[in-house]
């Protein structure tokens, strides 16, 4: 059974309940102070305690997404890519080494995906990408719209929307807690969103540390993973556009921070971005383990979006900032949007818009209510080239 499957949790719950009933039934028989009865009591109590702790640990992991598979749990740090001599004449890594199908991630637990043939409802695929630039490897989900399987679109290259979960969080959160492909399919079916390939990923490519999608000096190169390895792998395996104008990135919480930062630092890769309840500079907390840049002020500044607006030319980019007026960081959000719109004045290639719910917090209820509008906004800015 998959590490994140409900079946594993339910099986352990059943085992714990059965052990508890058994304990209550035979406990009187184990009351004597002899070696075997004492060992029996210890064994039964141990099974109950271990089972309860296992259920608790699995429930926490499924909620916060520290590990997505048994391999992820038993092989800390993730699989590292080993470059081999199996390269083509141009020196590029073969496509089948960049992206491969996988059974990891728990896709089989999602029961509310549209039912039908791929040419009618599209398809969600689980894939594993290995990155030659970053040396990182992780599992992602890819939603292919119905048109992708339509012969009329056989020569069409589709726009791409990379979506990012929060921290800590699994890629599965983008299907279960925040129904990204389900919402996209409904929007496309009703004509409010153009057919788009949607890629679902988590920021925590090197668990359990929160790297905020940046390249950590001497550590995980997460920014390189999202800015170079993921686009290259997708282009090698799917009919996707090669133009930055056709690529966008959207995320919530830490994923929203990553989305805005990736677009502002790499507008030649992602020409549009939406940050839902995002921060605008790299956090320094228990999740990141302090300053991710080791105190390097130059690196810190260049990942601070407000600093970039003050000190660097405005990029060719469209941004959407989404939040609620009750969110704790709402004043900081307004401050950033005001600054960005001032910078946008006189820079028509750089645009910033904002959407706010009147109520709601930093949770999936708010993000679910914001998602349809965010997807529509992104779709209107993903070019077909």
């Amino acid at each position: 059974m998959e590490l994140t499957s409900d079946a594993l949790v339910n099986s352990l719950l059943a085992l714990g309940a059965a052990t508890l009933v058994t304990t209550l039934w035979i406990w009187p028989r184990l009351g004597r102070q002899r070696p075997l009865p004492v060992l029996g009591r210890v064994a039964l109590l141990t099974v109950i305690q271990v089972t309860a702790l296992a259920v608790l640990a699995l429930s926490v992991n499924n909620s916060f997404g520290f590990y997505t598979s048994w391999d992820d749990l038993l092989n800390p740090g993730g699989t590292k890519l080993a470059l081999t001599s199996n390269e083509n004449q141009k020196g590029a890594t073969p496509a089948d080494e960049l992206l491969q199908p996988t059974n990891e991630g728990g896709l089989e637990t999602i029961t509310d995906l549209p039912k039908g043939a791929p040419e009618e409802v599209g398809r969600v695929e689980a894939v594993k990408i290995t990155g030659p630039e970053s040396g990182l490897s992780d599992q992602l989900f890819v939603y292919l719209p119905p048109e992708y399987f339509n012969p009329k679109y056989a020569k069409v290259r589709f726009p791409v929307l990379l979506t990012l979960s929060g921290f800590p969080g699994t890629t599965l959160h983008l299907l279960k807690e925040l129904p990204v492909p389900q919402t996209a399919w409904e929007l496309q079916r009703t004509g409010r969103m153009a057919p788009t390939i949607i890629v679902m990923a988590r920021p925590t490519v090197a668990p359990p540390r929160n790297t905020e999608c940046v390249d950590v000096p001497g550590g995980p190169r997460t920014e390189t993973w999202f800015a170079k390895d993921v686009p290259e792998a997708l282009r090698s395996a799917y009919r996707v556009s090669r133009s930055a104008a056709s690529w966008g990135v959207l995320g919530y919480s830490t994923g929203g921070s990553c989305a805005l930062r990736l677009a502002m630092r790499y507008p030649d890769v992602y020409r549009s971005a939406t940050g839902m309840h995002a921060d605008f500079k790299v956090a320094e907390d228990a999740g990141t383990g302090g300053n991710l840049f080791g105190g390097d002020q130059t690196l810190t500044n260049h990942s601070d979006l407000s600093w970039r607006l003050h000190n660097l030319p405005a990029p060719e980019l469209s941004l959407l900032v989404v939040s609620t007026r009750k969110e704790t960081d709402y004043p900081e959000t307004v401050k950033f949007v005001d600054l960005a719109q001032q910078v946008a004045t006189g820079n028509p290639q750089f645009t910033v818009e904002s959407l706010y719910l009147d109520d709601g917090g930093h949770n999936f209820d708010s993000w679910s209510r914001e998602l349809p509008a965010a997807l529509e906004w992104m779709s209107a800015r993903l070019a077909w080239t």
Side-chain angles (χ1 to χ4, degrees):
M1 286 179 281
E2 287 286 342
L3 178 65
T4 57
S5 68
D6 292 336
L8 180 58
V9 176
N10 293 335
S11 297
L12 288 173
L13 282 172
L15 174 61
T19 305
L20 179 59
V21 171
T22 301
T23 300
L24 294 174
W25 178 52
I26 69 172
W27 191 265
R29 304 180 187 182
L30 301 175
R32 289 176 292 178
Q33 298 301 315
R34 294 182 180 180
L36 286 180
V38 170
L39 288 175
R41 294 199 299 271
V42 171
L44 287 170
L45 291 175
T46 299
V47 172
I48 292 174
Q49 294 293 328
V50 169
T51 303
L53 289 174
V55 169
L56 177 62
L58 287 170
S59 299
V60 171
N61 183 68
N62 290 352
S63 296
F64 293 102
F66 296 106
Y67 303 97
T68 61
S69 66
W70 290 109
D71 183 66
D72 199 5
L73 173 65
L74 301 175
N75 183 23
T79 303
K80 301 298 182 183
L81 177 67
L83 295 178
T84 67
S85 59
N86 184 22
E87 298 178 346
N88 60 26
Q89 294 181 352
K90 293 183 180 180
T93 306
D96 59 354
E97 291 187 13
L98 292 175
L99 186 149
Q100 295 180 333
T102 178
N103 292 323
E104 295 180 8
L107 182 59
E108 75 284 350
T109 66
I110 305 300
T111 59
D112 63 342
L113 290 172
K115 302 296 191 296
E119 59 270 19
E120 296 175 352
V121 300
R123 184 170 70 201
V124 177
E125 299 182 343
V127 301
K128 191 166 189 176
I129 290 179
T130 52
E133 289 285 337
S134 67
L136 296 172
S137 177
D138 202 18
Q139 174 266 322
L140 301 86
F141 297 123
V142 179
Y143 166 73
L144 303 172
E147 289 79 4
Y148 191 85
F149 304 95
N150 189 326
K152 294 181 179 179
Y153 291 81
K155 296 183 179 181
V156 170
R157 291 189 174 273
F158 288 78
V160 179
L161 176 59
L162 172 66
T163 59
L164 300 173
S165 65
F167 172 87
T170 68
T171 311
L172 201 64
H173 283 176
L174 294 165
L175 291 99
K176 184 174 290 186
E177 279 75 16
L178 189 68
V180 173
Q182 300 93 320
T183 304
W185 181 79
E186 181 63 25
L187 291 173
Q188 292 173 21
R189 186 184 67 82
T190 55
R192 291 177 288 166
M193 183 176 181
T196 304
I197 291 178
I198 299 179
V199 181
M200 291 153 274
R202 58 175 180 168
T204 319
V205 186
R209 192 179 187 187
N210 178 14
T211 59
E212 289 268 343
C213 301
V214 304
D215 283 355
V216 179
R221 302 177 63 199
T222 316
E223 184 175 75
T224 298
W225 162 260
F226 284 116
K228 297 182 180 180
D229 289 335
V230 170
E232 180 183 354
L234 293 171
R235 291 184 180 113
S236 74
Y238 297 104
R239 300 196 314 274
V240 299
S241 173
R242 297 183 177 275
S243 169
S246 302
W247 285 66
V249 54
L250 173 153
Y252 65 85
S253 191
T254 297
S257 307
C258 290
L260 298 179
R261 191 179 304 113
L262 284 168
M264 287 194 68
R265 286 178 57 81
Y266 294 90
D268 57 334
V269 179
Y270 302 105
R271 194 63 56 80
S272 58
T274 293
M276 300 193 298
H277 300 233
D279 292 324
F280 307 102
K281 61 181 179 180
V282 175
E284 296 183 27
D285 54 24
T288 61
N291 189 294
L292 288 170
F293 304 111
D296 188 316
Q297 195 59 47
T298 299
L299 294 177
T300 301
N301 286 343
H302 279 265
S303 289
D304 183 326
L305 303 191
S306 296
W307 184 93
R308 296 184 69 87
L309 290 174
H310 278 298
N311 296 277
L312 299 177
E316 183 178 354
L317 191 64
S318 295
L319 299 180
L320 175 65
V321 177
V322 182
S323 191
T324 74
R325 302 184 194 279
K326 300 294 185 181
E327 175 67 273
T328 304
D329 295 333
Y330 174 68
E332 286 299 315
T333 300
V334 172
K335 183 178 178 180
F336 173 81
V337 171
D338 288 345
L339 172 61
Q341 290 179 341
Q342 290 174 20
V343 172
T345 303
N347 293 290
Q349 80 281 1
F350 179 64
T351 63
V352 180
E353 299 179 48
S354 59
L355 292 173
Y356 303 114
L357 287 174
D358 288 333
D359 63 342
H362 202 81
N363 52 52
F364 283 107
D365 176 70
S366 297
W367 301 324
S368 296
R369 289 188 287 150
E370 296 160 356
L371 181 62
L375 288 174
E376 285 190 64
W377 187 93
M378 290 295 304
S379 179
R381 283 150 187 84
L382 294 175
W384 282 67
T385 59

